[in-house]
Structure formats: C-alpha cells, structure tokens
Amino acid sequence: LLSARARSLTLARPIGTAVGGLFLVVALLSFGTTSAMMVADHYLRRSYEVDMPQSLEYARKAESAMPLVAQYRMRTAYLLGSVAQRDTAEGTAPGALESAVVAYEDLLEFDSNNYEAVVRYADLLNAVHPAGGELSADRALEVSRIARRLFPAGLYPRVCEARALMNLERPHDAVEVLAPVWDADADYAEPGILYARALWSAGRREEAVSAARGLTSLYPDDSEVQALVAEIGVLSATE
C-alpha cells in the first residue's frame, strides 16, 4: 500500500496539471482580448483620421474586432447616421437610412441605457423627417422619452422630444415639454427658438411674439434667433 504522503503526491500531480492548464487558458483568453482591443482601438482612431467612406470602413473593422463593446458599435451607427442625413438631404441612396436605423436599434438592444446612443438616434430620426415617414417620427418620440428617463434633468432630451412632437404636428404638446426650460440656458438658444415656433404653430401668436422678443434679449447675437424674429414678424404682418 502507498503511504499517505505518496498518495497525496500522486493526487497532487493531476490537480496541479489541471490548475496550470486553467491558468494557461485564462492567460491566452486575456491575451486574445487585449490583442483584439488593441486592433479595435487602432481602427477606431483611424476612423477619426480619414474621411468617408474610409472612416466607416475603419469603424466597421473596429466593431468586428470587439463586437461586444458598445463604443465601437456606437461609432459605426453614428457614421451610418451621418451618411443617412446627407443622403436624405440630397435625395439619394435611401438605403442608408435603413442601415443606420438597424445599427442604432441593434445598439440599443445591446445597451438600452446608453444615453449617447439614445440621443443620437433621436437626432437622426428627427433630422430625416419627413423622409423617414410617420413611423420614424413616432420612434423619435419614443427614443426621446427614453433619453428623458435616463437623464431627467437634461435639457437636450426635452429638445429632442419637442422636435418629434412638432414633426408629428403636436405643437401644444411641444409647448408643454419646453415651457419649463426654454430660457434655462444662457448659452443655448435652440430650446427657446423651438418653443416660440411651437407657440406660433399652436395658435398662441402673442405668446410666440413675446417669447421671440425675449430671445433677442437673451441671445442678441444669435443668427438663428434673428431669423426667427424676422420670420415671426413677417408672419404677423400677413395676418
């Protein structure tokens, strides 16, 4: 019979071999992940250094290297969205919008709490209206409300929601969304501009004119505010 010491040594060998093998597997996996991330980071950097379509090609390579990391998927979705906005404005390549929508929907399914992705997707859907149809406006409203849930105190999610409501011809609702915050940021005129337009579209003309005048005091050098004031002045004169 083997002594107790001999038996313990005999059992220790396979255990030691198994542990050593496990450490080797972990090391190889760690090395593989690090290498893949280095490749992905390289392509991600390159995507910022070149113009389209090479930029999109590099972004897709970065995503392929690390498909389970949201930032690489985000870059691809953003670039597809940029192409979609350009092509929609030019009336060319309608398939670009579908590709961008699929990329963003996949990204949000993968990471539903990604605030940056949610806001950029809402921006895209609002920007391509009316080419995207009523469905894209409805989805823009849904996504904007997700952004407000993720960042309740944020000003920009309200702007996204108000844009979607205006695209859906619901100016009264847009007014309600913007009323508490339209003049909250001294460096950001867009909420106020959108608020004045919503008031005008809702038939609240005197309030719209008053808001436009208030904007000229808050943002005296803003060209978009000046254009809004001129537009509302012309509209008022024709009524």
Side-chain angles (χ1 to χ4, degrees), residues 57-73:
E57 179 183 345
Y58 283 128
R60 281 176 164 155
K61 288 182 177 180
E63 182 182 347
S64 296
M66 290 294 289
L68 299 182
V69 178
Q71 66 169 326
Y72 304 119
R73 303 176 73 158

PDB file of all heavy atoms in Angstrom, residues 57-73:
ATOM      1  N   GLU A  57     -15.494  52.370 -43.049  1.00  0.00           N
ATOM      2  CA  GLU A  57     -14.821  51.073 -43.200  1.00  0.00           C
ATOM      3  C   GLU A  57     -13.995  50.744 -41.958  1.00  0.00           C
ATOM      4  O   GLU A  57     -14.043  49.625 -41.439  1.00  0.00           O
ATOM      5  CB  GLU A  57     -13.931  51.103 -44.437  1.00  0.00           C
ATOM      6  CG  GLU A  57     -13.156  49.820 -44.675  1.00  0.00           C
ATOM      7  CD  GLU A  57     -12.227  49.904 -45.876  1.00  0.00           C
ATOM      8  OE1 GLU A  57     -12.391  50.837 -46.692  1.00  0.00           O
ATOM      9  OE2 GLU A  57     -11.327  49.049 -45.991  1.00  0.00           O
ATOM     10  N   TYR A  58     -13.258  51.738 -41.446  1.00  0.00           N
ATOM     11  CA  TYR A  58     -12.454  51.510 -40.248  1.00  0.00           C
ATOM     12  C   TYR A  58     -13.341  51.280 -39.019  1.00  0.00           C
ATOM     13  O   TYR A  58     -13.019  50.453 -38.164  1.00  0.00           O
ATOM     14  CB  TYR A  58     -11.524  52.699 -40.001  1.00  0.00           C
ATOM     15  CG  TYR A  58     -10.315  52.723 -40.898  1.00  0.00           C
ATOM     16  CD1 TYR A  58      -9.980  53.855 -41.627  1.00  0.00           C
ATOM     17  CD2 TYR A  58      -9.491  51.600 -41.011  1.00  0.00           C
ATOM     18  CE1 TYR A  58      -8.854  53.882 -42.450  1.00  0.00           C
ATOM     19  CE2 TYR A  58      -8.366  51.619 -41.835  1.00  0.00           C
ATOM     20  CZ  TYR A  58      -8.058  52.757 -42.548  1.00  0.00           C
ATOM     21  OH  TYR A  58      -6.946  52.777 -43.363  1.00  0.00           O
ATOM     22  N   ALA A  59     -14.429  52.006 -38.924  1.00  0.00           N
ATOM     23  CA  ALA A  59     -15.343  51.816 -37.794  1.00  0.00           C
ATOM     24  C   ALA A  59     -15.907  50.403 -37.789  1.00  0.00           C
ATOM     25  O   ALA A  59     -16.034  49.780 -36.725  1.00  0.00           O
ATOM     26  CB  ALA A  59     -16.470  52.843 -37.865  1.00  0.00           C
ATOM     27  N   ARG A  60     -16.241  49.902 -38.951  1.00  0.00           N
ATOM     28  CA  ARG A  60     -16.767  48.540 -39.031  1.00  0.00           C
ATOM     29  C   ARG A  60     -15.703  47.514 -38.655  1.00  0.00           C
ATOM     30  O   ARG A  60     -16.010  46.487 -38.035  1.00  0.00           O
ATOM     31  CB  ARG A  60     -17.300  48.284 -40.435  1.00  0.00           C
ATOM     32  CG  ARG A  60     -18.685  48.900 -40.669  1.00  0.00           C
ATOM     33  CD  ARG A  60     -19.159  48.736 -42.072  1.00  0.00           C
ATOM     34  NE  ARG A  60     -20.600  48.971 -42.190  1.00  0.00           N
ATOM     35  CZ  ARG A  60     -21.204  49.360 -43.303  1.00  0.00           C
ATOM     36  NH1 ARG A  60     -20.491  49.555 -44.400  1.00  0.00           N
ATOM     37  NH2 ARG A  60     -22.510  49.543 -43.329  1.00  0.00           N
ATOM     38  N   LYS A  61     -14.463  47.771 -39.008  1.00  0.00           N
ATOM     39  CA  LYS A  61     -13.384  46.864 -38.617  1.00  0.00           C
ATOM     40  C   LYS A  61     -13.187  46.875 -37.102  1.00  0.00           C
ATOM     41  O   LYS A  61     -12.945  45.831 -36.491  1.00  0.00           O
ATOM     42  CB  LYS A  61     -12.087  47.252 -39.326  1.00  0.00           C
ATOM     43  CG  LYS A  61     -12.069  46.922 -40.815  1.00  0.00           C
ATOM     44  CD  LYS A  61     -10.735  47.286 -41.442  1.00  0.00           C
ATOM     45  CE  LYS A  61     -10.705  46.879 -42.920  1.00  0.00           C
ATOM     46  NZ  LYS A  61      -9.412  47.231 -43.566  1.00  0.00           N
ATOM     47  N   ALA A  62     -13.298  48.060 -36.499  1.00  0.00           N
ATOM     48  CA  ALA A  62     -13.185  48.157 -35.040  1.00  0.00           C
ATOM     49  C   ALA A  62     -14.307  47.377 -34.375  1.00  0.00           C
ATOM     50  O   ALA A  62     -14.081  46.631 -33.409  1.00  0.00           O
ATOM     51  CB  ALA A  62     -13.225  49.620 -34.609  1.00  0.00           C
ATOM     52  N   GLU A  63     -15.516  47.515 -34.900  1.00  0.00           N
ATOM     53  CA  GLU A  63     -16.658  46.798 -34.334  1.00  0.00           C
ATOM     54  C   GLU A  63     -16.499  45.293 -34.496  1.00  0.00           C
ATOM     55  O   GLU A  63     -16.840  44.520 -33.589  1.00  0.00           O
ATOM     56  CB  GLU A  63     -17.947  47.265 -35.009  1.00  0.00           C
ATOM     57  CG  GLU A  63     -19.193  46.600 -34.445  1.00  0.00           C
ATOM     58  CD  GLU A  63     -20.464  47.041 -35.150  1.00  0.00           C
ATOM     59  OE1 GLU A  63     -20.428  48.020 -35.904  1.00  0.00           O
ATOM     60  OE2 GLU A  63     -21.501  46.379 -34.939  1.00  0.00           O
ATOM     61  N   SER A  64     -15.965  44.863 -35.636  1.00  0.00           N
ATOM     62  CA  SER A  64     -15.763  43.430 -35.870  1.00  0.00           C
ATOM     63  C   SER A  64     -14.743  42.851 -34.901  1.00  0.00           C
ATOM     64  O   SER A  64     -14.863  41.696 -34.472  1.00  0.00           O
ATOM     65  CB  SER A  64     -15.302  43.193 -37.313  1.00  0.00           C
ATOM     66  OG  SER A  64     -16.305  43.578 -38.232  1.00  0.00           O
ATOM     67  N   ALA A  65     -13.734  43.652 -34.554  1.00  0.00           N
ATOM     68  CA  ALA A  65     -12.700  43.173 -33.638  1.00  0.00           C
ATOM     69  C   ALA A  65     -13.234  43.014 -32.216  1.00  0.00           C
ATOM     70  O   ALA A  65     -12.851  42.090 -31.501  1.00  0.00           O
ATOM     71  CB  ALA A  65     -11.507  44.126 -33.649  1.00  0.00           C
ATOM     72  N   MET A  66     -14.138  43.924 -31.802  1.00  0.00           N
ATOM     73  CA  MET A  66     -14.698  43.874 -30.441  1.00  0.00           C
ATOM     74  C   MET A  66     -16.199  44.121 -30.512  1.00  0.00           C
ATOM     75  O   MET A  66     -16.704  45.184 -30.124  1.00  0.00           O
ATOM     76  CB  MET A  66     -14.020  44.928 -29.556  1.00  0.00           C
ATOM     77  CG  MET A  66     -12.571  44.634 -29.215  1.00  0.00           C
ATOM     78  SD  MET A  66     -12.356  43.173 -28.163  1.00  0.00           S
ATOM     79  CE  MET A  66     -13.012  43.767 -26.616  1.00  0.00           C
ATOM     80  N   PRO A  67     -16.970  43.159 -30.992  1.00  0.00           N
ATOM     81  CA  PRO A  67     -18.406  43.382 -31.212  1.00  0.00           C
ATOM     82  C   PRO A  67     -19.225  43.543 -29.933  1.00  0.00           C
ATOM     83  O   PRO A  67     -20.361  44.010 -30.003  1.00  0.00           O
ATOM     84  CB  PRO A  67     -18.829  42.121 -31.974  1.00  0.00           C
ATOM     85  CG  PRO A  67     -17.831  41.080 -31.585  1.00  0.00           C
ATOM     86  CD  PRO A  67     -16.534  41.818 -31.409  1.00  0.00           C
ATOM     87  N   LEU A  68     -18.674  43.172 -28.795  1.00  0.00           N
ATOM     88  CA  LEU A  68     -19.424  43.252 -27.542  1.00  0.00           C
ATOM     89  C   LEU A  68     -19.091  44.497 -26.730  1.00  0.00           C
ATOM     90  O   LEU A  68     -19.443  44.581 -25.551  1.00  0.00           O
ATOM     91  CB  LEU A  68     -19.172  41.997 -26.702  1.00  0.00           C
ATOM     92  CG  LEU A  68     -19.607  40.678 -27.348  1.00  0.00           C
ATOM     93  CD1 LEU A  68     -19.345  39.522 -26.404  1.00  0.00           C
ATOM     94  CD2 LEU A  68     -21.086  40.723 -27.740  1.00  0.00           C
ATOM     95  N   VAL A  69     -18.427  45.463 -27.353  1.00  0.00           N
ATOM     96  CA  VAL A  69     -18.110  46.725 -26.684  1.00  0.00           C
ATOM     97  C   VAL A  69     -18.897  47.834 -27.373  1.00  0.00           C
ATOM     98  O   VAL A  69     -18.769  48.037 -28.580  1.00  0.00           O
ATOM     99  CB  VAL A  69     -16.604  47.020 -26.732  1.00  0.00           C
ATOM    100  CG1 VAL A  69     -16.297  48.366 -26.083  1.00  0.00           C
ATOM    101  CG2 VAL A  69     -15.824  45.912 -26.023  1.00  0.00           C
ATOM    102  N   ALA A  70     -19.697  48.555 -26.585  1.00  0.00           N
ATOM    103  CA  ALA A  70     -20.660  49.500 -27.160  1.00  0.00           C
ATOM    104  C   ALA A  70     -19.997  50.640 -27.918  1.00  0.00           C
ATOM    105  O   ALA A  70     -20.543  51.111 -28.923  1.00  0.00           O
ATOM    106  CB  ALA A  70     -21.552  50.059 -26.050  1.00  0.00           C
ATOM    107  N   GLN A  71     -18.833  51.121 -27.482  1.00  0.00           N
ATOM    108  CA  GLN A  71     -18.249  52.301 -28.110  1.00  0.00           C
ATOM    109  C   GLN A  71     -17.897  52.057 -29.573  1.00  0.00           C
ATOM    110  O   GLN A  71     -17.996  52.976 -30.396  1.00  0.00           O
ATOM    111  CB  GLN A  71     -17.008  52.766 -27.353  1.00  0.00           C
ATOM    112  CG  GLN A  71     -15.827  51.814 -27.393  1.00  0.00           C
ATOM    113  CD  GLN A  71     -14.564  52.458 -26.857  1.00  0.00           C
ATOM    114  OE1 GLN A  71     -14.339  53.654 -27.030  1.00  0.00           O
ATOM    115  NE2 GLN A  71     -13.731  51.671 -26.183  1.00  0.00           N
ATOM    116  N   TYR A  72     -17.517  50.830 -29.909  1.00  0.00           N
ATOM    117  CA  TYR A  72     -17.178  50.540 -31.302  1.00  0.00           C
ATOM    118  C   TYR A  72     -18.443  50.454 -32.156  1.00  0.00           C
ATOM    119  O   TYR A  72     -18.473  50.926 -33.294  1.00  0.00           O
ATOM    120  CB  TYR A  72     -16.380  49.245 -31.389  1.00  0.00           C
ATOM    121  CG  TYR A  72     -15.134  49.263 -30.523  1.00  0.00           C
ATOM    122  CD1 TYR A  72     -14.955  48.348 -29.492  1.00  0.00           C
ATOM    123  CD2 TYR A  72     -14.139  50.221 -30.720  1.00  0.00           C
ATOM    124  CE1 TYR A  72     -13.829  48.380 -28.680  1.00  0.00           C
ATOM    125  CE2 TYR A  72     -13.011  50.266 -29.918  1.00  0.00           C
ATOM    126  CZ  TYR A  72     -12.861  49.345 -28.900  1.00  0.00           C
ATOM    127  OH  TYR A  72     -11.753  49.387 -28.102  1.00  0.00           O
ATOM    128  N   ARG A  73     -19.483  49.880 -31.611  1.00  0.00           N
ATOM    129  CA  ARG A  73     -20.762  49.821 -32.316  1.00  0.00           C
ATOM    130  C   ARG A  73     -21.349  51.221 -32.474  1.00  0.00           C
ATOM    131  O   ARG A  73     -21.989  51.542 -33.476  1.00  0.00           O
ATOM    132  CB  ARG A  73     -21.730  48.912 -31.567  1.00  0.00           C
ATOM    133  CG  ARG A  73     -21.199  47.508 -31.363  1.00  0.00           C
ATOM    134  CD  ARG A  73     -22.124  46.646 -30.531  1.00  0.00           C
ATOM    135  NE  ARG A  73     -23.309  46.269 -31.287  1.00  0.00           N
ATOM    136  CZ  ARG A  73     -24.049  45.205 -30.987  1.00  0.00           C
ATOM    137  NH1 ARG A  73     -23.729  44.434 -29.969  1.00  0.00           N
ATOM    138  NH2 ARG A  73     -25.116  44.916 -31.685  1.00  0.00           N
TER     139      ARG A  73
END
